[in-house]
Structure formats: structure tokens, C-alpha cells
Amino acid sequence: MMPPPPDPPDPPPPLRAAHAGAFGDRAGDVAVQDTNDEACASKLSCANAGYIVDEWARHFVKPGPMGRVKKYPPIINRGYYTRVATMRNVIECFLRECVLPGDARDGVLSRITRRQIVQIGAGFDTIYFRLRQKAAAPLTYLELDYAEVVDKKARVINAKPELAGQMMSPSHSYRDDGGYRLVAADLRDVNSLNDAAAKHLDPEVPTLIISECCLAYLERHEAEAVVRWCAEVTSACEASAFVLYDPINPSDAFGRQMVMNVAARGSPLRGILGSVGEQTDRMSRCGFRSAGCVDMNETWDYLTRRNSADVARVVRLEMFDEIEEWRLIQAHYCVAWGVNQLDGGDALLDAIKLK
């Protein structure tokens, strides 16, 4: 006679969105939040077309009539592939290369846990769930965004067993023991960022801060305050960095049209910088030891050198004859970085510099 089956494990406790700081009212906040929905839909289109693997994006996109999701043209799919592939490479290199004395350096991500990742303006991004599935989630993964956004994301996660139930190990839970934290923080108020850091981060653990299409929506002085905060919060550990993806070049004909289109949606690019040089200067001015920036044409060239087989696969997915327009769009987005350099090696810096 077979013994009775064991009782099923208790479900993970519901994810709670922590609130660190009050928000002031400002026209355009809702419009900026709405850009998150468009980004999610674009990434889902990119995944559905086969450019990237993201099995979690569908949970955060509301289907249209008859359950259909929006399909974007190849030029958008290819742009999101470049963005996602570049950021994934930076994150994986950080997890692999940013080590403290006594940490494993065998290149196996599952054995490297003493890391922290902070995603500012995270929206409904799914980076954490991908890392968790690979058993590569860092010690702490902190997402910061509007209170309304993190509350919506928490509700989605709690309603989806495949999101709430995939724990990296039995010792990790959303509420107390696990590394995943959703925190409401107003990027216009550095005090709320300080509150989040004080409660959730260890200043002596290697930290990667990432931001995608976020700072350009702030006023320039507000964005600079965020960059300065990123430099300060990572200053105690040299194996740390800040990497952002943002629009640039608003002054030429394409850039002016881009800025007008975004402003017409109610979310103007108040803090957009004019060039890769300005991005680099801001990183240095705000306290990072090493800084740089490249436009997305250079990241595409980097991906082609680094993984020519995958780029060749992507090129074959859809008919594409908009090369001139593609290069023009890519020239108006960039990846910028500020790094507290590693002792004994520049592997992370080289990866971020897209060598």
C-alpha cells in the first residue's frame, strides 16, 4: 500500500508593494505611466515574433478585441531586440564578473548570489523573472516606480501562479526572506530613493542600477540628482555600476519630430540630453570613476560581433528593407554607463563599453 502523498507546500505569501515616499501631483504623471503599457506591448510583440524569449511579458499586457495582442512592425521589433539583448548582456556580465573576496568565479551564475540589482522606473519589466528561472537572481532585486505602477504589478504577480510560485529556493519568499522588492519611490524626490536604499540595499555589496527610458522624462536637474544618487549609493563598493537606456539628439529634424510626438501624448521629454558626449559628461560630473555612452547603432554592431549567429537568426525573422530609417532611429537612442571600477580587472567595464 502506497503512503499518502505529502501535503502540498504552502503558497508564497502575497507580494506587498512597499511605499517609500509621497508623490506630489504633476500633470503628465499618468501619461508617463502609460508609456509602460506601450513598452510592455512592444516587448511582447518582439517575443511573439521570435526575436527574444520572454514567457512572462504576456501576463502584463491586456489583450485587445478577441484576445488579440498588438503586432508591431519589424523596425520596432528589431529595435527592442537590440535594447533587450544589450541590457541582458550587461546584467549577466555584472553577475558573472562583479565579485567580492571569497565569492565563486567559475562563471556559473547560479553560484553567484552576493549581488544587488536596482531597476529605477521598472514598470512591468520581467528581468527578475528571467533571472529567477535561470537560478541567477541576485541577493536583492529592487524595483522602483510610481506607487500606482508597483501596486498594479503586485496584483498581477499575486494573481499568476507562474509568477508568484517560481521561487529560486525554499528560503526565498516575496514578503520577508526573498530578494525581490517592489517599492514606490518618486524619482523627483531623492529622499524617497534614500529611504528605499536604506531599507533594502547593503552598501558594501556589488550593485548594478539600471534605467530604461526613464530619466528623459524628468527635468534635467531632477535627472542629474538621480544620477548623483546612483553614484553615491554605489560608492562604498567598487564592483558597481549604473547603466541607462534613453533617447538623445532632440535637435535635428528627426529628433524634433520625436520630441513633438512624445509631447503630444502628454509625456514630454523634459530631460533629454543632446548627445552621447553629454551623457558621458553627466555620469562623470555626478561622481562615477569611469563613464561613457554609445548610440544604439554601436550596440547593434557590438551584438553582431559578439553573437553573429543570433543576429543572423534575427535578421531572417522578418522582411526588412528600412535600413536607412532603422539607422536613423538607432542614432536617437543610447546606452550610457557610469562605473566604479573593479580591482584587478575591467571585464564589466569592457562589456558595458561594448568591446
Side-chain angles (χ1 to χ4, degrees):
M1 184 175 180
M2 296 292 291
D7 293 335
D10 292 335
L15 177 63
R16 296 176 181 175
H19 293 260
F23 285 76
D25 293 332
R26 174 188 279 184
D29 279 4
V30 173
V32 172
Q33 294 174 37
D34 288 344
T35 64
N36 169 60
D37 297 333
E38 184 174 351
C40 290
S42 299
K43 288 183 179 178
L44 180 58
S45 172
C46 185
N48 288 342
Y51 288 80
I52 60 173
V53 175
D54 189 335
E55 58 193 81
W56 307 276
R58 59 189 173 87
H59 298 300
F60 298 100
V61 177
K62 185 177 294 186
M66 301 181 66
R68 295 175 180 172
V69 295
K70 187 173 182 179
K71 181 179 180 181
Y72 284 83
I75 196 168
I76 301 297
N77 290 334
R78 188 178 286 199
Y80 268 86
Y81 164 81
T82 310
R83 169 179 170 178
V84 170
T86 300
M87 297 304 287
R88 284 181 177 180
N89 177 69
V90 168
I91 289 168
E92 292 185 4
C93 186
F94 165 75
L95 291 171
R96 184 176 63 248
E97 300 293 343
C98 287
V99 297
L100 292 173
D103 284 350
R105 293 206 67 168
D106 58 5
V108 180
L109 294 182
S110 62
R111 292 182 59 187
I112 300 177
T113 57
R114 296 177 67 197
R115 312 290 177 275
Q116 298 174 144
I117 295 177
V118 181
Q119 190 169 8
I120 58 178
F124 290 169
D125 202 280
T126 59
I127 292 173
Y128 171 77
F129 302 103
R130 178 174 179 270
L131 293 176
R132 188 177 63 184
Q133 185 187 62
K134 297 176 63 178
L139 181 70
T140 299
Y141 196 103
L142 173 63
E143 294 185 355
L144 305 175
D145 212 317
Y146 285 98
E148 297 85 352
V149 173
V150 298
D151 285 342
K152 288 178 183 178
K153 190 169 189 177
R155 288 198 295 270
V156 172
I157 292 171
N158 288 328
K160 302 290 184 179
E162 51 268 66
L163 295 174
Q166 289 182 345
M167 307 311 295
M168 188 177 74
S169 70
S171 65
H172 285 244
S173 67
Y174 284 115
R175 187 173 55 194
D176 296 315
D177 299 327
Y180 187 45
R181 297 287 184 265
L182 276 169
V183 176
D186 189 344
L187 301 184
R188 299 164 302 203
D189 177 10
V190 174
N191 288 330
S192 71
L193 299 178
N194 287 330
D195 289 344
K199 293 176 182 177
H200 300 286
L201 299 178
D202 183 339
E204 297 184 356
V205 170
T207 302
L208 174 66
I209 303 177
I210 55 178
S211 169
E212 297 185 49
C213 280
C214 177
L215 296 192
Y217 291 106
L218 303 177
E219 300 288 352
R220 285 201 177 192
H221 70 276
E222 295 170 338
E224 182 156 327
V226 173
V227 178
R228 195 173 301 279
W229 175 83
C230 291
E232 291 174 354
V233 82
T234 61
S235 62
C237 184
E238 290 189 339
S240 297
F242 172 43
V243 179
L244 68 80
Y245 170 90
D246 247 354
I248 53 171
N249 294 337
S251 299
D252 62 14
F254 183 93
R256 290 193 297 271
Q257 188 63 51
M258 175 180 69
V259 169
M260 286 191 295
N261 290 344
V262 176
R265 301 175 186 176
S267 52
L269 298 171
R270 296 182 173 92
I272 185 172
L273 296 185
S275 66
V276 295
E278 287 186 30
Q279 290 278 2
T280 301
D281 290 344
R282 183 172 67 181
M283 289 287 190
S284 298
R285 188 171 63 250
C286 289
F288 284 102
R289 299 182 189 178
S290 180
C293 182
V294 294
D295 69 25
M296 296 306 289
N297 283 316
E298 291 194 50
T299 68
W300 174 259
D301 295 341
Y302 163 75
L303 293 171
T304 301
R305 296 192 305 271
R306 180 176 181 269
N307 194 342
S308 58
D310 194 56
V311 171
R313 175 191 65 81
V314 164
V315 168
R316 293 192 298 268
L317 287 174
E318 298 179 292
M319 291 187 62
F320 191 85
D321 57 4
E322 302 159 291
I323 301 300
E324 185 175 349
E325 183 181 359
W326 154 255
R327 301 289 292 187
L328 186 59
I329 293 174
Q330 293 288 84
H332 287 79
Y333 288 87
C334 72
V335 171
W337 60 87
V339 179
N340 293 318
Q341 282 187 297
L342 302 171
D343 283 335
D346 294 331
L348 174 67
L349 182 58
D350 287 346
I352 295 174
K353 290 169 67 175
L354 310 179
K355 287 188 175 181

